[in-house]
Amino acid sequence: MRERNMPLRSRFNYYQNLASALAYNEEQSDYYTTLAGEWQFLFLKSPQDTPDAFIQGAYNSLEWDKIQVPSQLEFAGYGQPIYANIDYPFPVDPPYVPYENPTGLYYRKFSYNKQLDQQILRFDGVESTFEVWLNQQYLGKGQGSRLMTEFDISEMLKEGENELAVRVSKWSVGSYLEDQDMWWLSGIMRDVSIVEEGEINDLKITPFSKGDNWFIDVAMSVETAASFKSHLYFQGERVSQYKLGPQAAIEVVDPLLWNQETPNLYCLVIELNQELFIPIRFGLREIQMIDQLMCLNGLPILFNGVNRHEFHPKKGRCLSRADIWAELCQIKRYHINAIRTAHYPNTPYFYDVCDELGLLVIDECDIETHGFPEETTPAKDPFWQSEFIARGLRMVHRDYNHPSIVIWSLGNESHFGENFVAMAAAIRKLDSSRLLHYEGDRHCQVTDMYSTMYSSLAELEKRASQKITKKPHILCEYAHAMGNGPGNLQDYQELFNLYDSLQGGFIWEWKDHGIYNEEQQNYLYGGCFNESVHDGDFVLDGLVLPDGTPSPGLLEYRQVIQPVSFHYNQGQLLIRNKYDHQPLKDLRVKIEVVTQQGVVLTEEQPLSLIEPGGYSQVMAIDCPNVVTGYLTVSLIVEQGTAIFPKETVFAQDQFAFSSSQPVKDELEVVETRHDLTISGSAFTLSFNKNTGNLASFVKGNRELLASELAFSLSRMTISNDVEVQKSWHDDYLDELYTRSESFDFVVDRGTVILFVNQSICPPVASWGVKIRMEIWVNDQGISYQVRGWFEGEKPAELPRIGWELPLLEPVTQIAWFGKGPGESYPDSQQHTLIGHYRLSAKEWRFPYIIPQETGNRSEVSQSKLSLDNGQELLLSSVGKFNLNVIDLVKEQNQRYRHLEEKAVENRGIRIDLAVRGLGSNSCGPVPLPKDTVYSTPFTGQFTIA
Ligand code: GAL
Ligand code: MG
C-alpha cells in the first residue's frame, strides 16, 4: 500500500481573491473545506477489535453512534480521562502498548467539487495515533498528537460523494514520547480539512536587517522557476508590489518593527495568475544573542511569561478560535508578555493570535519521556532518534513563519542524550533565525540559554552574581501556582530586574486543568475517574480556575510586572513608562488619599502620552492636614481596546502619605562631564557622576561636606566583636570603592529626580554591594530612596549598613526625635525611651576606656545638627534610622589603613539602616540572629536638608 503522507512544510492556505486572502481566515477561503461537524462513530476496547466491515469499507453494515469532530473522546462520553504527572498509566514496554487500547472508528460522507489540481487532507491534531481511508483506499497513518499530518488525496478524491474513515487509538508507540504532566486524552481534537493548492508547495519568510534597512527573504518551493506577483500589505493598506521568483529578498521600506508591545504585522500576498492568493503574515524582527543576552531587535528580552496548556474544563484540549482569542486577550490584560506552549505545539490559530496581539512564544516540541529512568531514557536510545528529529522538524516546518515565535524548545523532562543533539542540529539547519531551548540540557550543549525550573531565589542570585553560566538564564518554570500561591513573585521579579543575565521566566502554570462535572457542578481532578495510576490535584496548579477566574496569584503577578513605575516623594509624584517600545496613552491618573478617617482626597487628571522609557511631569498632590495616610495612584483606561476595556485599572501603586509643603523654588541644573550641579535660592549641591555620590552641599554660601556622602559598612570594633573582627578586617569592610553604573535624572521645574545605580566593592575580593537610588532634590531637601543588595562571596555578617557624611565643621549640638537620651543598640535599648532630646556633642558618646564604637541612637525620625560655625543640618525620614555622630579621628585611626591627616572630632554623621547588636562575645555569646546584620537586601529612606 502506498502511503500518501505529504512532505514536511509550513501551514498556509490558498484564497480566491485578495480580499479574502487579507482577511486571513481560512474559513473564508474557497480552497479550504472543513470536515468538522458530525461524524459516525464506534467506540472499541482495542484496535484489535475492529470489525472486518470497517477495514473492507462496508461502512453501511455497521451500527454507528454519532460524535462531533473535533472533540476529545473522554469528553464525549467514550472512555475515561487519566491524570498522571510522571508515571505512564500502561506498562513501560516500548514500542508495545497493551491490547486494552481505547479506539474510535470515525466515518463520514461528504460531497466535493474539485477546483484546483491538488487536494490535501490535513489533520491538525489527533491523539495519539490514527489511520485514514478515503473511498475505501488506505491513505496512511499519523502520529505525534499535537503535530500536523497531511495526505495528498488529489488522485483519490472523487467529484461528488466521498467516504472518509479514520481509526484513532489512545495508546501508541508515540505515547512513550508524550508523557506530559496532564490528562491522557484521545480523539480527533483539532480541525480536519481539505485544502486545495496550486503550484507553490511551501513558503518560508525570514525577516532580516542590514543597518537600518529591513528585508524579507522569501523562499518558495515550486516545481517550475516561475515568478509570481506579490503584494505587500500593512494594516490593510498596500505598501508595495513585486515580481518574485522562488528565491527572493525584498526590502520593506519605512519599516515598522514587530515586538511584543507593538506587534506590527505585515502581510505578503503571493498571487498566481490572478486566481490564487497565498497570504503570509510576518513581522520585522530579529532574535539574536548580543553580549550573551537574548535580544529582540537589539534590545534584551525580559520574559514575564506563563506556561500554558491548551485546556478547557468542558472540552479538554479541543479549543475553539473564540476560546483561544479570549484567553490570549486575558493573558495580555494581565501584562504577561510571553507564553511557553507547555509542552507541545499548539493549535495553529494560537500563533496567529500571538502574532497579532504581541506575545513572545517558546514553541515546544511534543516530546516528554518523564516516566523513564535516566539509564533507559529514549533521548539516548538510537531506536528513537529519527522520531525525535521528525517531531522537531515537523514543529519548526509548520510554524516558522510566525513572528511571535522567538525560541524553539526541544521538549520537556526527557533527560539528555544524542537524540537531542541530533534534533537540535536538524532544527538549526532548517531555521537558524530562532534560539534553542531545552531545560534538560544542563550544560547548554545545544541550547542558547541556561534554563531551570523552580530555582530558589538564592540559587538564582548566586548564579547571576557569580556569573556561573556564560549563557543567559531563564526559568522555563517557576512559582508553582497550585492552590493558594505562588509566593515571592515580587522577589523573583526584583532579581530579574537586578541582573541582566536573568532574562525572566514562565510561571507554572496558566490554568487549573479541572474537568467540569455537570451533575455535581464541580471540578474533577486526578483520581476522580477511578484511575489506578494518578497524581490527584497536582493538575490544579494554575493562575486561573478552569473557567478563567483569576486567582489572587494572577493579581499578584500583574502587580509585579506592570509596565509602569510610580515614584513618590513628599507630595510629588512621577510616573514612568517601563515599556521598551510602546507609549503610555489613553490613560488618566486617579489619585486617592485614605486615612483612618476614610478617603480624604479623590482626584483625577488626564495623563499626557509618555514615550517608551519616558517620564510624566512631576505632579503635586495637595492634601493638607493629613498626618498619616496612604496615597493610591491608579492609571485608568479611557477609551479602551480589545485587551484593555474602558475603565480597566491598567497599573497602580500605593505610598505612605503625609501632608507636605508645596515646592515653590525653581531649580537650576548644570551638567558637566563629571558633575551635576543643582542650585536653588537657599542651596547649591552637586553629585559626582563617577561615583553617584553627593559631593558638595552649600547652604548659606558655605560648604558643609568635607568629602562625599558615601555608603559604608564598617565601624570601630567593640570589645565584644571577638569572633567577627578578624574577618571584617580581612574583608576590607573599611575600604570600599564606589562606582556609578548609571546616572540619569529628570528635571521638572522645582524638582530634580536622580536615578543612580552604584556598585560598591572592597579591594582584593570580588564581592560587592549594588545600590539603586532614587534621589529627589527640591527646596525641601535631598531625599534618598535606596534599595541595595550584596553579591559575590560576600561576608555573611556586617557591623552596619548605612552612610557616612563627613563634615567640614564639627557638630556641637544634636537635637533629635527618637530613642534616647543614651545610646542604644538592637540588643541593648530597654533603658531608652522615644522622645525629643538635645545633647551637646561632648555628651553624645560614652567614654569607654578602650576607644570603641559608641553613640548610636535608634528609631530616629528627625534630627537637627548644629555645627561649630552656626550652620545647621536637618535629617529626617518617613521611616526610622539610626543616627550617630562620630569622631572621624578615632574611627580612622582604628579602621582605615591609610590615615588622613586633617581629621577632627565630631565631624562625621552616620545614617544607618541597620546596626549590629552588641552581644557579650568578649567572654560569651555573639548577638542573636535577630540582632545580627546580614548581607541581605535592604531598603531605606532619608532626607537631608
Ligand atoms: C514540571 C513539569 C510540568 C509540571 C510541573 C509541576 O516539572 O515540567 O509539566 O509537571 O513540573 O506542576
Ligand atoms: Mg513532567
Side-chain angles (χ1 to χ4, degrees), residues 85-86 179-181 343 368-371 412-413 453 477:
N85 171 8
I86 300 172
D179 187 24
Q180 291 93 343
D181 175 8
H343 298 298
E368 172 158 348
T369 64
H370 207 167
N412 188 55
E413 298 187 317
M453 292 180 181
E477 293 176 28

mmCIF file with all atom_site columns, all heavy atoms in Angstrom, residues 85-86 179-181 343 368-371 412-413 453 477, ligand 2:
data_model
loop_
_atom_site.group_PDB
_atom_site.id
_atom_site.type_symbol
_atom_site.label_atom_id
_atom_site.label_alt_id
_atom_site.label_comp_id
_atom_site.label_asym_id
_atom_site.label_entity_id
_atom_site.label_seq_id
_atom_site.pdbx_PDB_ins_code
_atom_site.Cartn_x
_atom_site.Cartn_y
_atom_site.Cartn_z
_atom_site.occupancy
_atom_site.B_iso_or_equiv
_atom_site.pdbx_formal_charge
_atom_site.auth_seq_id
_atom_site.auth_comp_id
_atom_site.auth_asym_id
_atom_site.auth_atom_id
_atom_site.pdbx_PDB_model_num
ATOM   1   N  N   . ASN A 1 85  ? 1.147  12.612 36.332 1.00 0.00 ? 85  ASN A N   1
ATOM   2   C  CA  . ASN A 1 85  ? 2.230  13.569 36.131 1.00 0.00 ? 85  ASN A CA  1
ATOM   3   C  C   . ASN A 1 85  ? 3.417  12.886 35.462 1.00 0.00 ? 85  ASN A C   1
ATOM   4   O  O   . ASN A 1 85  ? 3.765  13.203 34.322 1.00 0.00 ? 85  ASN A O   1
ATOM   5   C  CB  . ASN A 1 85  ? 2.588  14.155 37.510 1.00 0.00 ? 85  ASN A CB  1
ATOM   6   C  CG  . ASN A 1 85  ? 3.845  15.011 37.493 1.00 0.00 ? 85  ASN A CG  1
ATOM   7   O  OD1 . ASN A 1 85  ? 4.388  15.302 36.438 1.00 0.00 ? 85  ASN A OD1 1
ATOM   8   N  ND2 . ASN A 1 85  ? 4.306  15.418 38.662 1.00 0.00 ? 85  ASN A ND2 1
ATOM   9   N  N   . ILE A 1 86  ? 4.002  11.909 36.152 1.00 0.00 ? 86  ILE A N   1
ATOM   10  C  CA  . ILE A 1 86  ? 5.241  11.316 35.645 1.00 0.00 ? 86  ILE A CA  1
ATOM   11  C  C   . ILE A 1 86  ? 5.023  9.890  35.134 1.00 0.00 ? 86  ILE A C   1
ATOM   12  O  O   . ILE A 1 86  ? 5.468  9.529  34.046 1.00 0.00 ? 86  ILE A O   1
ATOM   13  C  CB  . ILE A 1 86  ? 6.313  11.322 36.761 1.00 0.00 ? 86  ILE A CB  1
ATOM   14  C  CG1 . ILE A 1 86  ? 6.572  12.783 37.182 1.00 0.00 ? 86  ILE A CG1 1
ATOM   15  C  CG2 . ILE A 1 86  ? 7.594  10.638 36.295 1.00 0.00 ? 86  ILE A CG2 1
ATOM   16  C  CD1 . ILE A 1 86  ? 7.460  12.954 38.395 1.00 0.00 ? 86  ILE A CD1 1
ATOM   17  N  N   . ASP A 1 179 ? 4.545  11.894 27.485 1.00 0.00 ? 179 ASP A N   1
ATOM   18  C  CA  . ASP A 1 179 ? 4.257  11.694 28.905 1.00 0.00 ? 179 ASP A CA  1
ATOM   19  C  C   . ASP A 1 179 ? 4.251  13.021 29.666 1.00 0.00 ? 179 ASP A C   1
ATOM   20  O  O   . ASP A 1 179 ? 4.842  13.154 30.733 1.00 0.00 ? 179 ASP A O   1
ATOM   21  C  CB  . ASP A 1 179 ? 5.293  10.728 29.486 1.00 0.00 ? 179 ASP A CB  1
ATOM   22  C  CG  . ASP A 1 179 ? 4.968  10.332 30.911 1.00 0.00 ? 179 ASP A CG  1
ATOM   23  O  OD1 . ASP A 1 179 ? 3.777  10.399 31.289 1.00 0.00 ? 179 ASP A OD1 1
ATOM   24  O  OD2 . ASP A 1 179 ? 5.897  9.974  31.654 1.00 0.00 ? 179 ASP A OD2 1
ATOM   25  N  N   . GLN A 1 180 ? 3.579  13.994 29.107 1.00 0.00 ? 180 GLN A N   1
ATOM   26  C  CA  . GLN A 1 180 ? 3.488  15.293 29.772 1.00 0.00 ? 180 GLN A CA  1
ATOM   27  C  C   . GLN A 1 180 ? 2.597  15.201 31.009 1.00 0.00 ? 180 GLN A C   1
ATOM   28  O  O   . GLN A 1 180 ? 1.721  14.347 31.084 1.00 0.00 ? 180 GLN A O   1
ATOM   29  C  CB  . GLN A 1 180 ? 2.891  16.333 28.801 1.00 0.00 ? 180 GLN A CB  1
ATOM   30  C  CG  . GLN A 1 180 ? 3.807  16.709 27.650 1.00 0.00 ? 180 GLN A CG  1
ATOM   31  C  CD  . GLN A 1 180 ? 3.580  15.881 26.396 1.00 0.00 ? 180 GLN A CD  1
ATOM   32  O  OE1 . GLN A 1 180 ? 2.966  14.809 26.450 1.00 0.00 ? 180 GLN A OE1 1
ATOM   33  N  NE2 . GLN A 1 180 ? 4.072  16.360 25.269 1.00 0.00 ? 180 GLN A NE2 1
ATOM   34  N  N   . ASP A 1 181 ? 2.831  16.133 31.925 1.00 0.00 ? 181 ASP A N   1
ATOM   35  C  CA  . ASP A 1 181 ? 2.026  16.211 33.138 1.00 0.00 ? 181 ASP A CA  1
ATOM   36  C  C   . ASP A 1 181 ? 0.668  16.822 32.778 1.00 0.00 ? 181 ASP A C   1
ATOM   37  O  O   . ASP A 1 181 ? 0.487  18.039 32.817 1.00 0.00 ? 181 ASP A O   1
ATOM   38  C  CB  . ASP A 1 181 ? 2.777  17.092 34.155 1.00 0.00 ? 181 ASP A CB  1
ATOM   39  C  CG  . ASP A 1 181 ? 1.968  17.342 35.419 1.00 0.00 ? 181 ASP A CG  1
ATOM   40  O  OD1 . ASP A 1 181 ? 0.895  16.724 35.575 1.00 0.00 ? 181 ASP A OD1 1
ATOM   41  O  OD2 . ASP A 1 181 ? 2.411  18.153 36.247 1.00 0.00 ? 181 ASP A OD2 1
ATOM   42  N  N   . HIS A 1 343 ? 3.215  21.519 26.829 1.00 0.00 ? 343 HIS A N   1
ATOM   43  C  CA  . HIS A 1 343 ? 4.525  21.015 26.412 1.00 0.00 ? 343 HIS A CA  1
ATOM   44  C  C   . HIS A 1 343 ? 4.415  20.422 25.010 1.00 0.00 ? 343 HIS A C   1
ATOM   45  O  O   . HIS A 1 343 ? 4.857  19.305 24.783 1.00 0.00 ? 343 HIS A O   1
ATOM   46  C  CB  . HIS A 1 343 ? 5.015  19.924 27.354 1.00 0.00 ? 343 HIS A CB  1
ATOM   47  C  CG  . HIS A 1 343 ? 5.216  20.349 28.778 1.00 0.00 ? 343 HIS A CG  1
ATOM   48  N  ND1 . HIS A 1 343 ? 6.147  21.336 29.150 1.00 0.00 ? 343 HIS A ND1 1
ATOM   49  C  CD2 . HIS A 1 343 ? 4.652  19.938 29.933 1.00 0.00 ? 343 HIS A CD2 1
ATOM   50  C  CE1 . HIS A 1 343 ? 6.129  21.471 30.461 1.00 0.00 ? 343 HIS A CE1 1
ATOM   51  N  NE2 . HIS A 1 343 ? 5.228  20.669 30.968 1.00 0.00 ? 343 HIS A NE2 1
ATOM   52  N  N   . GLU A 1 368 ? 7.999  14.367 25.661 1.00 0.00 ? 368 GLU A N   1
ATOM   53  C  CA  . GLU A 1 368 ? 8.307  14.236 27.084 1.00 0.00 ? 368 GLU A CA  1
ATOM   54  C  C   . GLU A 1 368 ? 8.296  12.761 27.445 1.00 0.00 ? 368 GLU A C   1
ATOM   55  O  O   . GLU A 1 368 ? 7.334  12.050 27.158 1.00 0.00 ? 368 GLU A O   1
ATOM   56  C  CB  . GLU A 1 368 ? 7.331  15.020 27.982 1.00 0.00 ? 368 GLU A CB  1
ATOM   57  C  CG  . GLU A 1 368 ? 7.573  14.705 29.452 1.00 0.00 ? 368 GLU A CG  1
ATOM   58  C  CD  . GLU A 1 368 ? 7.085  15.743 30.461 1.00 0.00 ? 368 GLU A CD  1
ATOM   59  O  OE1 . GLU A 1 368 ? 6.726  16.866 30.062 1.00 0.00 ? 368 GLU A OE1 1
ATOM   60  O  OE2 . GLU A 1 368 ? 7.082  15.407 31.658 1.00 0.00 ? 368 GLU A OE2 1
ATOM   61  N  N   . THR A 1 369 ? 9.371  12.343 28.097 1.00 0.00 ? 369 THR A N   1
ATOM   62  C  CA  . THR A 1 369 ? 9.502  10.926 28.483 1.00 0.00 ? 369 THR A CA  1
ATOM   63  C  C   . THR A 1 369 ? 9.783  10.828 29.975 1.00 0.00 ? 369 THR A C   1
ATOM   64  O  O   . THR A 1 369 ? 10.628 10.059 30.415 1.00 0.00 ? 369 THR A O   1
ATOM   65  C  CB  . THR A 1 369 ? 10.656 10.246 27.703 1.00 0.00 ? 369 THR A CB  1
ATOM   66  O  OG1 . THR A 1 369 ? 11.891 10.873 28.090 1.00 0.00 ? 369 THR A OG1 1
ATOM   67  C  CG2 . THR A 1 369 ? 10.485 10.400 26.209 1.00 0.00 ? 369 THR A CG2 1
ATOM   68  N  N   . HIS A 1 370 ? 9.055  11.618 30.725 1.00 0.00 ? 370 HIS A N   1
ATOM   69  C  CA  . HIS A 1 370 ? 9.332  11.789 32.147 1.00 0.00 ? 370 HIS A CA  1
ATOM   70  C  C   . HIS A 1 370 ? 9.354  10.479 32.939 1.00 0.00 ? 370 HIS A C   1
ATOM   71  O  O   . HIS A 1 370 ? 10.064 10.350 33.917 1.00 0.00 ? 370 HIS A O   1
ATOM   72  C  CB  . HIS A 1 370 ? 8.264  12.731 32.717 1.00 0.00 ? 370 HIS A CB  1
ATOM   73  C  CG  . HIS A 1 370 ? 8.716  13.498 33.897 1.00 0.00 ? 370 HIS A CG  1
ATOM   74  N  ND1 . HIS A 1 370 ? 8.012  14.566 34.382 1.00 0.00 ? 370 HIS A ND1 1
ATOM   75  C  CD2 . HIS A 1 370 ? 9.792  13.377 34.703 1.00 0.00 ? 370 HIS A CD2 1
ATOM   76  C  CE1 . HIS A 1 370 ? 8.639  15.061 35.436 1.00 0.00 ? 370 HIS A CE1 1
ATOM   77  N  NE2 . HIS A 1 370 ? 9.721  14.350 35.644 1.00 0.00 ? 370 HIS A NE2 1
ATOM   78  N  N   . GLY A 1 371 ? 8.551  9.508  32.520 1.00 0.00 ? 371 GLY A N   1
ATOM   79  C  CA  . GLY A 1 371 ? 8.420  8.268  33.289 1.00 0.00 ? 371 GLY A CA  1
ATOM   80  C  C   . GLY A 1 371 ? 9.570  7.288  33.110 1.00 0.00 ? 371 GLY A C   1
ATOM   81  O  O   . GLY A 1 371 ? 9.599  6.242  33.757 1.00 0.00 ? 371 GLY A O   1
ATOM   82  N  N   . ASN A 1 412 ? 10.334 18.541 26.845 1.00 0.00 ? 412 ASN A N   1
ATOM   83  C  CA  . ASN A 1 412 ? 10.345 18.744 28.295 1.00 0.00 ? 412 ASN A CA  1
ATOM   84  C  C   . ASN A 1 412 ? 10.680 17.447 29.010 1.00 0.00 ? 412 ASN A C   1
ATOM   85  O  O   . ASN A 1 412 ? 10.273 16.367 28.566 1.00 0.00 ? 412 ASN A O   1
ATOM   86  C  CB  . ASN A 1 412 ? 8.966  19.232 28.764 1.00 0.00 ? 412 ASN A CB  1
ATOM   87  C  CG  . ASN A 1 412 ? 8.952  19.641 30.226 1.00 0.00 ? 412 ASN A CG  1
ATOM   88  O  OD1 . ASN A 1 412 ? 9.756  20.474 30.630 1.00 0.00 ? 412 ASN A OD1 1
ATOM   89  N  ND2 . ASN A 1 412 ? 8.051  19.048 31.001 1.00 0.00 ? 412 ASN A ND2 1
ATOM   90  N  N   . GLU A 1 413 ? 11.428 17.543 30.057 1.00 0.00 ? 413 GLU A N   1
ATOM   91  C  CA  . GLU A 1 413 ? 11.690 16.457 31.005 1.00 0.00 ? 413 GLU A CA  1
ATOM   92  C  C   . GLU A 1 413 ? 11.897 15.110 30.331 1.00 0.00 ? 413 GLU A C   1
ATOM   93  O  O   . GLU A 1 413 ? 11.151 14.162 30.565 1.00 0.00 ? 413 GLU A O   1
ATOM   94  C  CB  . GLU A 1 413 ? 10.552 16.399 32.029 1.00 0.00 ? 413 GLU A CB  1
ATOM   95  C  CG  . GLU A 1 413 ? 10.514 17.700 32.812 1.00 0.00 ? 413 GLU A CG  1
ATOM   96  C  CD  . GLU A 1 413 ? 9.556  17.734 33.982 1.00 0.00 ? 413 GLU A CD  1
ATOM   97  O  OE1 . GLU A 1 413 ? 8.422  17.235 33.805 1.00 0.00 ? 413 GLU A OE1 1
ATOM   98  O  OE2 . GLU A 1 413 ? 9.916  18.249 35.037 1.00 0.00 ? 413 GLU A OE2 1
ATOM   99  N  N   . MET A 1 453 ? 14.128 25.023 36.314 1.00 0.00 ? 453 MET A N   1
ATOM   100 C  CA  . MET A 1 453 ? 12.772 25.031 36.861 1.00 0.00 ? 453 MET A CA  1
ATOM   101 C  C   . MET A 1 453 ? 12.856 25.245 38.362 1.00 0.00 ? 453 MET A C   1
ATOM   102 O  O   . MET A 1 453 ? 13.666 24.610 39.016 1.00 0.00 ? 453 MET A O   1
ATOM   103 C  CB  . MET A 1 453 ? 12.112 23.669 36.672 1.00 0.00 ? 453 MET A CB  1
ATOM   104 C  CG  . MET A 1 453 ? 11.810 23.301 35.262 1.00 0.00 ? 453 MET A CG  1
ATOM   105 S  SD  . MET A 1 453 ? 11.040 21.668 35.274 1.00 0.00 ? 453 MET A SD  1
ATOM   106 C  CE  . MET A 1 453 ? 10.813 21.447 33.522 1.00 0.00 ? 453 MET A CE  1
ATOM   107 N  N   . GLU A 1 477 ? 10.171 27.277 34.097 1.00 0.00 ? 477 GLU A N   1
ATOM   108 C  CA  . GLU A 1 477 ? 9.051  27.116 35.023 1.00 0.00 ? 477 GLU A CA  1
ATOM   109 C  C   . GLU A 1 477 ? 9.498  27.659 36.371 1.00 0.00 ? 477 GLU A C   1
ATOM   110 O  O   . GLU A 1 477 ? 10.617 27.415 36.804 1.00 0.00 ? 477 GLU A O   1
ATOM   111 C  CB  . GLU A 1 477 ? 8.662  25.638 35.182 1.00 0.00 ? 477 GLU A CB  1
ATOM   112 C  CG  . GLU A 1 477 ? 8.087  25.041 33.921 1.00 0.00 ? 477 GLU A CG  1
ATOM   113 C  CD  . GLU A 1 477 ? 7.777  23.548 34.020 1.00 0.00 ? 477 GLU A CD  1
ATOM   114 O  OE1 . GLU A 1 477 ? 7.504  23.056 35.131 1.00 0.00 ? 477 GLU A OE1 1
ATOM   115 O  OE2 . GLU A 1 477 ? 7.818  22.886 32.980 1.00 0.00 ? 477 GLU A OE2 1
HETATM 116 MG MG  . MG  B 2 .   ? 6.707  16.049 33.606 1.00 0.00 ? 2   MG  B MG  1
#
